[in-house]
Amino acid sequence: LVSDIRRQGKRISLSVRFSGGGAATDLAGHVTDLSSSGLFLATRHFIPLGKQVHLEFDLPTGRVEAMGEVRWIKRGANVKEQGLGIRFLRLTSEAATAIDLAIDAA
């Protein structure tokens, strides 16, 4: 199952302020779940499934710049429960290192 494969990598919970987006897309919120393959962005901004977004945020271990794709949308009763599941498509080597270090430190 895809969901089983997706959950095999180690994940960490955190709250990192995020702003980014891409062409005609402004996103703001908090990264609340992070793995080497993607993240959950708690946000009030919903964009279509499959849309690519530019990601920029700072971890204690370094800056992350990446391209991602919206894989799922969660609508919830409050802001912390709603947002976007984003899979990384392209990561700089610096971003991949910052993510790995953050996960290993958790």
Side-chain angles (χ1 to χ4, degrees):
L1 288 166
V2 172
S3 60
D4 293 338
I5 292 168
R6 185 179 58 164
R7 295 287 179 192
Q8 284 178 355
K10 186 175 177 187
R11 309 179 77 76
I12 60 169
S13 294
L14 68 164
S15 181
V16 174
R17 190 140 180 74
F18 170 89
S19 62
T25 303
D26 289 324
L27 279 176
H30 283 85
V31 176
T32 59
D33 187 80
L34 178 68
S35 75
S36 60
S37 61
L39 57 82
F40 178 74
L41 178 66
T43 183
R44 289 184 174 146
H45 304 270
F46 292 101
I47 57 177
L49 287 174
K51 179 153 177 83
Q52 291 189 14
V53 292
H54 180 75
L55 306 166
E56 288 186 33
F57 56 95
D58 290 304
L59 294 171
T61 52
R63 181 140 184 88
V64 174
E65 290 190 44
M67 284 301 295
E69 177 185 21
V70 177
R71 299 296 294 163
W72 50 273
I73 297 170
K74 182 177 180 186
R75 298 182 190 273
N78 65 55
V79 176
K80 291 186 192 301
E81 295 177 357
Q82 64 185 25
L84 305 170
I86 299 174
R87 178 182 64 168
F88 295 129
L89 296 176
R90 290 186 302 281
L91 284 170
T92 64
S93 59
E94 294 85 2
T97 297
I99 291 168
D100 289 343
L101 290 172
I103 291 169
D104 288 344

